[in-house]
Amino acid sequence: MNAFDEPEGINPRGTVLVAAGRGETADAYQRFGRRIAADGYRVRILPDVTADLAESFAEAGKLLVDDGLPAPRVVVGSDTGALFARTLAARGAPGLDGLVLAGLPVQRAPAGINLLSWDAELDARTGCPAHRGVLTSSLFSALIPTELVGLIGDVTVPTLGLHGADDPISPLDQAAPAYPGDVTVINGGKHDVLNDLSHRTVAATVVIFLERLRNGAAIIR
């Protein structure tokens, strides 16, 4: 698990737990983690949560009730990381104050079948050269675990949904019903919307959500 803390001399404003999706290492979220931490939030990054779901749920559960990590405590996830985060909320995980869900996947093919070649997969995921450099060809070899499929409702914590308007892996019209509430659409965004060309705008949107949550305001839409 990778960790980023708030700048020295600044009181921490909350905690962000990042749940990486299928095949993603913590390296995919270094830039995101540093940026969120720079705004005063403690960031903890769990690599590919689907590699061992039971262990990932246990680790997330421990972090969400860790007295050393300040509230509000928000789980951020992309692709199967978003499904993982949504499942935590549906299970009523103690200590969970909010969610940021990005690029929720849709099940469009039989288990075990990769939908795209690797070059096409890269193009579908992001147009950001820096992010493309940290992705590996094992990315979508993993399946969507059945434990993460189907839990659409029963999420009562404040939620920020983010989805790329041009996501070919999880088309917006198919994915939108899976979000527990409205979704903020990123114009021109591809599947890895947290790390796509608009990553600065998306990170700023996440920080605004965190600040509003910290101050007790309603979710932005």
Side-chain angles (χ1 to χ4, degrees):
M1 179 181 67
N2 285 32
F4 297 93
D5 288 342
E6 71 282 357
E8 186 175 352
I10 294 178
N11 291 328
R13 303 182 66 78
T15 300
V16 172
L17 174 59
V18 180
R22 288 174 286 179
E24 291 181 328
T25 68
D27 289 344
Y29 294 95
Q30 301 297 297
R31 178 176 63 189
F32 179 80
R34 287 192 298 268
R35 182 168 286 136
I36 300 301
D39 273 294
Y41 290 86
R42 292 187 179 170
V43 180
R44 302 295 183 264
I45 304 174
L46 295 177
D48 188 353
V49 292
T50 65
D52 187 332
L53 266 180
E55 181 178 344
S56 296
F57 278 122
E59 182 65 18
K62 287 190 296 184
L63 290 169
L64 288 171
V65 296
D66 186 341
D67 290 338
L69 295 175
R73 301 183 184 102
V74 175
V75 178
V76 177
S78 178
D79 190 74
T80 46
L83 293 177
F84 176 86
R86 192 183 66 183
T87 303
L88 278 172
R91 291 181 174 184
L96 178 61
D97 297 309
L99 299 176
V100 177
L101 307 179
L104 275 170
V106 292
Q107 193 79 297
R108 296 184 300 158
I113 296 179
N114 288 324
L115 300 180
L116 302 172
S117 68
W118 177 235
D119 287 343
E121 185 75 52
L122 273 178
D123 289 340
R125 291 181 67 90
T126 182
C128 175
H131 185 53
R132 290 167 72 100
V134 300
L135 299 179
T136 68
S137 59
S138 64
L139 209 54
F140 264 43
S141 60
L143 309 179
I144 299 178
T146 56
E147 299 95 319
L148 301 182
V149 177
L151 290 176
I152 295 177
D154 301 323
V155 174
T156 58
V157 297
T159 301
L160 172 65
L162 298 163
H163 208 91
D166 298 336
D167 184 346
I169 294 174
S170 183
L172 177 61
D173 61 341
Q174 297 179 42
Y179 285 92
D182 295 336
V183 57
T184 298
V185 179
I186 307 302
N187 289 335
K190 297 188 178 183
H191 187 61
D192 287 1
V193 70
L194 295 176
N195 287 303
D196 202 7
L197 289 172
S198 297
H199 58 86
R200 293 177 179 83
T201 299
V202 170
T205 302
V206 171
V207 170
I208 291 171
F209 171 76
L210 294 172
E211 287 294 301
R212 290 174 64 88
L213 182 62
R214 183 176 183 272
N215 294 320
I219 180 174
I220 57 172
R221 290 299 185 199

